[in-house]
Amino acid sequence: MWVTAHNRVIPLSIPAGFVFLGEGFFLVAGFLLALHPEALSLPRHPWGLALAHLFLLGFGVGVLLGAMHQLLPVVLEAPLYRPEWGYPVMALWGLGTALLAWGFAQAPSLVPAGGALVLLALFLFAYHAYLTFRQAPRWNRVATALAWVVFYLILTPLLGLLQALSQRYGFYDPERLAWHLLAGLGGVFLLSILGVGYKLVSMFTLTHGVDERILGHFLWAANLGLLGLAMGERLGYLLLLLAYALALYDTWRILRNRMKKALDIGVRHYLLGLFFLGLALLALPFDPVWAALWFALGFVGLVVTGMLYKILPFLVWTHRYAPKAGKEKVPMLKEMLPEKAGYLAGGLLALGALLLPLLPWAGWVYFMGVFPHAYALVEVMRR
């Protein structure tokens, strides 16, 4: 699993800090979603921009950054170059995200400062990841997926900055907003969830020896599909459908060869997230707003929350109880998480995400799902 000589030196406060700051952003984003559902259907609505950045940059990217501090040493079989660099990344990203969201909603003068801090945080993380990549004794396709994710983590805010400057200096082009969305939604989240998901689902189901070539084909199809959509080519959409089909096939192969027959809460959330990804892709040519909602709230929201039910208990158990194992009674890993709360949260989040494009009040259903989710994670930390 994740207990190796390479990652024991990473303090729990780094991944846990990213996770719980992200949870705070998740709570605020859910509240804004319930209060201002109308903002999601209006381009450049102040509350809509704030909500989107709190959810995706705050919650989604925050959990991703925390997870990658643990995943990089495992995937690369090499230690992080400087684990302590996670603290300035966390501080810059957290403060920058808060200023950016508040700036979009109420104080536009804060947007440049917030954006600059986030960009600095992501550049520092990318440089740290690059130095860690250089130490890898061997390479695999999961590492390739992570490298692409790091690339898109930098490209997305740069495209956002270009869009902001274009409004200020008079060369605004609405198509560049689509580039920013494609790099963020597709580049960061599609590749990280399905690329890292290949590794995590294999670990959680005790599946070994699955050929990585399908993951490689997925990366080609997804990247070319995103580029095609950015260029306005219909082929881009067809390539994304192909990437989705490859991801489904890869997931089926993993589950078919698993040693652990019962599917746990993290894998069930992952599979439900894949359902929402399919809905989003089917809706994309007809209603991009519906597609974005199902992608973000359904696919990203369910997979990220579900994976946290597996990742956080393992991290806490490893740091808190692994040294005591065999010497005194310690809790079992499955006892760390109150699963009923996790399943309740997943049901509310899924129902809210599914209904929101049709029924604006479903934002309150989604918001209610945040509370049992946060409760489950707090209980993990208390065990």
Side-chain angles (χ1 to χ4, degrees):
M1 289 287 282
W2 288 9
V3 186
T4 70
H6 299 311
N7 62 8
R8 286 179 185 151
V9 298
I10 302 172
L12 176 61
S13 56
I14 293 178
F18 278 108
V19 166
F20 281 99
L21 278 174
E23 287 293 312
F25 291 131
F26 189 28
L27 180 63
V28 178
F31 184 58
L32 292 181
L33 177 67
L35 282 182
H36 300 285
E38 76 287 348
L40 300 173
S41 59
L42 300 174
R44 296 169 56 194
H45 191 289
W47 288 111
L49 291 172
L51 194 164
H53 285 81
L54 285 168
F55 185 87
L56 295 169
L57 178 60
F59 175 57
V61 171
V63 173
L64 175 62
L65 292 175
M68 286 186 71
H69 278 82
Q70 287 288 146
L71 275 171
L72 282 174
V74 176
V75 171
L76 301 177
E77 299 179 21
L80 284 179
Y81 184 78
R82 289 287 185 273
E84 64 274 13
W85 288 7
Y87 293 114
V89 171
M90 189 191 311
L92 292 168
W93 156 80
L95 179 59
T97 301
L99 291 177
L100 197 60
W102 182 249
F104 281 129
Q106 294 289 313
S109 61
L110 295 178
V111 171
L117 290 174
V118 168
L119 188 59
L120 181 58
L122 295 178
F123 265 113
L124 178 57
F125 174 77
Y127 180 60
H128 189 200
Y130 163 73
L131 295 176
T132 302
F133 280 127
R134 289 185 58 185
Q135 300 179 122
R138 59 186 62 86
W139 200 259
N140 56 53
R141 290 175 177 86
V142 179
T144 302
L146 292 178
W148 274 112
V149 171
V150 172
F151 167 75
Y152 282 112
L153 278 172
I154 294 300
L155 179 63
T156 303
L158 286 176
L159 290 173
L161 177 62
L162 176 63
Q163 189 76 345
L165 291 175
S166 69
Q167 289 180 299
R168 186 181 184 94
Y169 294 105
F171 57 98
Y172 177 77
D173 183 349
E175 287 193 8
R176 281 194 289 266
L177 179 59
W179 299 354
H180 178 62
L181 291 173
L182 286 171
L185 293 175
V188 173
F189 292 108
L190 185 67
L191 297 189
S192 66
I193 288 175
L194 297 183
V196 173
Y198 170 90
K199 181 73 172 179
L200 294 180
V201 173
S202 296
M203 290 165 54
F204 298 157
T205 57
L206 302 180
T207 305
H208 306 287
V210 177
D211 191 345
E212 290 186 358
R213 282 180 295 181
I214 298 299
L215 176 59
H217 298 329
F218 162 79
L219 292 174
W220 275 105
N223 277 302
L224 290 175
L226 292 172
L227 179 61
L229 281 185
M231 302 299 293
E233 297 291 336
R234 186 176 302 176
L235 179 61
Y237 176 66
L238 298 177
L239 285 170
L240 286 182
L241 290 179
L242 173 61
Y244 179 61
L246 290 169
L248 290 179
Y249 175 63
D250 218 12
T251 303
W252 173 78
R253 288 196 311 158
I254 292 170
L255 296 182
R256 184 187 63 175
N257 293 291
R258 72 189 188 273
M259 296 178 64
K260 183 179 179 181
K261 296 306 177 183
L263 299 180
D264 60 31
I265 187 170
V267 177
R268 290 169 187 255
H269 275 67
Y270 183 83
L271 296 177
L272 188 55
L274 288 180
F275 165 74
F276 274 98
L277 176 58
L279 280 183
L281 287 172
L282 290 176
L284 183 58
F286 308 102
D287 196 316
V289 174
W290 285 34
L293 287 174
W294 281 333
F295 184 97
L297 301 178
F299 175 56
V300 176
L302 283 167
V303 173
V304 171
T305 54
M307 288 303 176
L308 281 176
Y309 298 143
K310 298 294 293 181
I311 293 172
L312 190 64
F314 188 83
L315 293 178
V316 173
W317 192 94
T318 299
H319 286 81
R320 190 172 294 168
Y321 298 112
K324 303 176 182 179
K327 302 175 184 177
E328 58 183 85
K329 182 176 174 57
V330 299
M332 297 179 65
L333 191 58
K334 66 179 181 180
E335 297 172 349
M336 300 286 291
L337 177 77
E339 284 198 352
K340 289 183 180 179
Y343 280 118
L344 174 61
L348 291 170
L349 294 176
L351 182 62
L354 182 64
L355 296 179
L356 188 62
L358 295 167
L359 305 168
W361 56 261
W364 286 104
V365 178
Y366 197 88
F367 177 49
M368 294 306 296
V370 178
F371 291 97
H373 166 69
Y375 164 77
L377 298 187
V378 170
E379 284 298 297
V380 170
M381 297 297 295
R382 293 180 61 232
R383 298 295 169 97

